Amino acid sequence: MKSGFNFSLPVSVVVLAISYIYVTTVFVFIDRWFGIMSSPGIMNAVVFTAIALMCVFNYAVAIFRDPGRVPSDYMPDIEDDQSPIHEIKRKGGDLRYCQKCSHYKPPRAHHCRVCKRCVLRMDHHCIWISNCVGHANYKAFFIFVMHAVVACFYSLVLLVGSLTNDPLKDEEQSGGSYRTVYVISGLLLVPLSLALAVLLVWHICLILKNKTTIEYHEGVRAMWLAEKGGHIYKHPYDLGVYENLTMVSPMLILLKCNS
């Protein structure tokens, strides 16, 4: 686990948003549409709670798990033919060395200016988890985003459905207090659902190519330089769609081992 974590403002905002969406979905939308103690109400509450728990668990893992430290004694073995690809600097052709951490950088490792250390297979530094997304916590980050997208769209469906359930009668009984809840929920869920959906699609595209966000931006320049020189650029870590997926999906890893 990562040490020295400070509960930052963005993390507090995410926790409050998750709490608000859960409470309003279960105790307002589901209750108004089905009745919280009815069979459909209990079923929807259980399903949404399970999705919410998966979100919270993977969010916590993404926050507290160390994304991947470079071993202090790491030294690239350039004479080993079986070793991974040796990345070199763009200028000079020397092996990548971090002047700030005073050690060589393994392939796909990058120095984070926020965390002030090198991170293995660094994707990006995410302020919403107050941590880097790297080798050890990328799966948890991706699974969190995936469940968050499902939860947001699920909540939106329940919001719309509950509005069709005799809203005038409910407003008379509650003095219009539900109106504020629906307005806040709509303003929160609609942009959040779209933003998370775009983020999910983005990372699915990266996974299919076995790229990180940093490698994507580096690849754009490398592709331009390759085309300028009359060559075809190929991402060195792209193993094919199925092999790339097995690096993230535990289910595909099990299927691969049994085949």
Side-chain angles (χ1 to χ4, degrees):
M1 290 292 180
K2 186 181 67 165
S3 59
F5 168 75
N6 294 318
F7 209 73
S8 64
L9 177 61
V11 172
S12 303
V13 170
V14 173
V15 172
L16 288 174
I18 292 174
S19 303
Y20 178 83
I21 291 172
Y22 177 78
V23 171
T24 55
T25 300
V26 175
F27 297 104
V28 178
F29 307 152
I30 293 178
D31 188 36
R32 290 189 72 197
W33 191 359
F34 303 107
I36 194 67
M37 297 309 296
S38 66
S39 296
I42 293 174
M43 182 190 69
N44 279 279
V46 169
V47 172
F48 190 80
T49 299
I51 296 171
L53 287 175
M54 286 296 294
C55 280
V56 172
F57 174 76
N58 284 285
Y59 184 64
V61 172
I63 290 175
F64 292 107
R65 179 172 291 173
D66 193 300
R69 291 181 178 272
V70 177
S72 58
D73 58 347
Y74 171 77
M75 180 65 66
D77 186 1
I78 59 176
E79 296 181 355
D80 185 4
D81 294 335
Q82 302 299 321
S83 64
I85 300 170
H86 295 294
E87 294 181 349
I88 60 175
K89 296 179 181 178
R90 293 178 183 173
K91 297 180 180 180
D94 297 327
L95 291 172
R96 297 166 68 238
Y97 185 85
C98 182
Q99 299 291 343
K100 296 178 180 179
C101 296
S102 300
H103 60 58
Y104 286 100
K105 291 192 284 188
R108 314 187 81 175
H110 295 273
H111 186 87
C112 176
R113 290 177 293 180
V114 179
C115 297
K116 297 180 180 179
R117 62 187 179 88
C118 289
V119 176
L120 295 173
R121 198 186 182 278
M122 179 178 172
D123 187 88
H124 69 287
H125 182 90
C126 180
I127 63 170
W128 301 107
I129 65 173
S130 190
N131 194 11
C132 277
V133 178
H135 170 71
N137 65 347
Y138 183 82
K139 290 181 184 179
F141 173 80
F142 178 78
I143 294 172
F144 160 70
V145 173
M146 182 174 61
H147 282 87
V149 170
V150 174
C152 285
F153 279 102
Y154 193 179
S155 182
L156 273 175
V157 171
L158 292 170
L159 184 156
V160 174
S162 64
L163 282 174
T164 64
N165 185 34
D166 201 4
L168 293 177
K169 178 181 177 181
D170 287 337
E171 281 194 13
E172 290 175 0
Q173 293 177 348
S174 61
S177 60
Y178 281 124
R179 182 178 300 174
T180 303
V181 173
Y182 278 100
V183 170
I184 295 175
S185 298
L187 292 174
L188 176 63
L189 284 170
V190 172
L192 188 60
S193 299
L194 294 176
L196 287 172
V198 170
L199 182 63
L200 178 63
V201 171
W202 166 251
H203 278 280
I204 289 174
C205 293
L206 290 177
I207 289 170
L208 292 177
K209 293 292 185 181
N210 195 12
K211 288 183 178 181
T212 64
T213 300
I214 294 175
E215 289 169 353
Y216 169 81
H217 292 294
E218 290 179 344
V220 171
R221 174 176 171 78
M223 185 180 299
W224 177 77
L225 291 173
E227 291 178 353
K228 187 177 180 181
H231 304 289
I232 299 176
Y233 173 77
K234 185 180 186 306
H235 182 55
Y237 302 104
D238 186 359
L239 305 175
V241 173
Y242 180 75
E243 293 292 336
N244 294 339
L245 286 173
T246 58
M247 301 185 70
V248 176
S249 173
M251 185 61 67
L252 285 178
I253 292 174
L254 290 175
L255 291 174
K256 182 180 178 181
C257 292
N258 294 329
S259 60

